[in-house]
Amino acid sequence: MRNCIISLAAISSLRGAAAWTGRSHGAVASPPPSFVLSIRGGANEYETKFEGVKCSVIEKASKKIEEARRKIVDEGSAIPDFGSKADEICNAAIEEYAKSAPLESEGSSASSAYARKLAELESSLDAPLQVLYLRQLALLRESALASYKSASKASDASDYEAMLAADAQFLRGAESASRKSSDWTYDAERSALQSVMSDFASTSKKLAETQVQSSQQQSTAMQFLQHQQQMIQQLQMQLYGQSSPWNMAMAYRIPDTNFNLQGSYQQGRANLQLSCVPDEYAPMLGPNGFTNGVGPGNLGLSLNLSI
């Protein structure tokens, strides 16, 4: 019986030694749960703190952004030096946010949360300002295109010079509307403007060419008609001899009859015609055959002299 008790004690000692050896050579022991929760709670505390500061700063900046939106979108007018004004809004917001910067003693968790919220703040301000920037570029493009059209029509300058002037006007406006510390670009709007001006110049050139061709065709047709008229006159001279420059015509109605006598002399030929036409002006005749008024029924005389 005593031997059994000694054996059990030895086995228990061996198990205890093995367990101690396993703990000493195994992985590093994890920290107590209370330590982990304290770290996580601090990070959430910094996130909440800087999120509140960020929302407050954005609310103040959004008032200035709304004023710019009404000017550009609602009124449809470009803001001079929009780029510098956008930089002022962003810089003022960042300075306001920087007042809540963490101390070095607060550790890396506070610095990391501060940097994340600062990046979110810059992105939240840059996005609506860039939308207004693109709208302003569209207004500048329309203004430059209108200047190009008016310059190409009102002056004798070439389309190329008008295109250069309009492109320079857009470039000046786009440069002043761009933020210096951002990736805003106006290359797409400038390319679109140049493409529209090129198409307009091509259309105008084709229209001018069509008008010139039409004028040339009309001139050719007039020359052909004049040539045909000269040929007819030459044939008449060959058939009837030299024509007279005098052209005369007269008409006479025989009193108290419906007979009307017409005579004409044109290009050396005389023509006499007798027609029966009712006298519509008989009530205007007096008792002795004289007229009480002058009308086309009792007066017809014309004289043409061609030199």
Side-chain angles (χ1 to χ4, degrees):
M1 183 67 178
R2 183 179 298 175
N3 294 335
C4 291
I5 294 173
I6 293 172
S7 299
L8 290 173
I11 293 172
S12 176
S13 299
L14 292 174
R15 288 180 178 177
W20 175 257
T21 303
R23 286 195 299 268
S24 62
H25 293 284
V28 178
S30 59
S34 60
F35 180 73
V36 176
L37 292 177
S38 64
I39 295 178
R40 291 180 179 176
N44 292 334
E45 180 182 354
Y46 290 130
E47 290 282 343
T48 304
K49 173 185 175 182
F50 295 129
E51 177 67 22
V53 176
K54 183 194 76 172
C55 292
S56 176
V57 171
I58 290 177
E59 183 178 359
K60 293 180 180 178
S62 62
K63 297 179 181 179
K64 297 181 180 180
I65 296 176
E66 178 62 20
E67 293 178 1
R69 188 201 66 81
R70 287 197 296 268
K71 184 73 173 178
I72 296 175
V73 178
D74 297 342
E75 299 179 9
S77 58
I79 298 178
D81 297 329
F82 175 76
S84 61
K85 289 181 173 60
D87 280 331
E88 291 176 2
I89 293 174
C90 293
N91 293 335
I94 293 174
E95 291 176 1
E96 181 71 19
Y97 179 79
K99 294 178 181 178
S100 63
L103 302 176
E104 295 182 359
S105 60
E106 292 179 333
S108 60
S109 298
S111 300
S112 177
Y114 173 83
R116 285 195 301 271
K117 295 304 176 181
L118 177 60
E120 293 177 3
L121 172 63
E122 293 178 348
S123 177
S124 299
L125 295 177
D126 183 78
L129 288 173
Q130 189 172 12
V131 172
L132 298 180
Y133 168 72
L134 295 176
R135 178 56 184 166
Q136 171 131 336
L137 289 182
L139 295 176
L140 294 174
R141 184 188 63 182
E142 294 175 359
S143 176
L145 183 60
S147 299
Y148 162 73
K149 292 180 179 179
S150 61
S152 61
K153 292 180 180 179
S155 64
D156 297 333
S158 62
D159 288 337
Y160 180 72
E161 294 177 355
M163 289 175 63
L164 289 179
D167 183 71
Q169 175 185 341
F170 174 80
L171 188 60
R172 289 192 300 270
E175 285 286 348
S176 64
S178 302
R179 286 186 61 193
K180 305 303 180 185
S181 57
S182 68
D183 57 350
W184 293 1
T185 177
Y186 50 82
D187 294 338
E189 291 292 336
R190 187 181 183 185
S191 299
L193 172 63
Q194 293 174 351
S195 177
V196 171
M197 289 191 299
S198 298
D199 294 341
F200 184 81
S202 178
T203 303
S204 300
K205 184 178 180 180
K206 291 180 180 179
L207 179 61
E209 291 177 353
T210 303
Q211 292 177 349
V212 170
Q213 292 178 358
S214 177
S215 300
Q216 291 177 350
Q217 292 177 355
Q218 292 179 358
S219 177
T220 303
M222 291 297 297
Q223 291 177 359
F224 176 76
L225 293 176
Q226 291 176 358
H227 180 68
Q228 294 295 323
Q229 186 177 4
Q230 291 176 359
M231 292 181 61
I232 293 174
Q233 292 177 355
Q234 291 177 0
L235 291 175
Q236 289 178 349
M237 291 176 61
Q238 292 177 1
L239 293 175
Y240 305 105
Q242 183 68 30
S243 60
S244 174
W246 292 90
N247 293 327
M248 298 180 61
M250 62 175 299
Y252 175 73
R253 176 178 294 276
I254 301 174
D256 299 329
T257 64
N258 291 332
F259 293 102
N260 188 29
L261 183 63
Q262 296 178 349
S264 63
Y265 178 82
Q266 186 177 6
Q267 295 183 354
R269 293 184 300 170
N271 185 22
L272 185 63
Q273 182 179 1
L274 180 63
S275 59
C276 182
V277 180
D279 189 2
E280 299 177 355
Y281 293 90
M284 299 179 64
L285 297 177
N288 297 323
F290 294 98
T291 60
N292 294 327
V294 178
N298 49 41
L299 178 63
L301 178 62
S302 63
L303 176 62
N304 295 326
L305 180 60
S306 301
I307 300 177

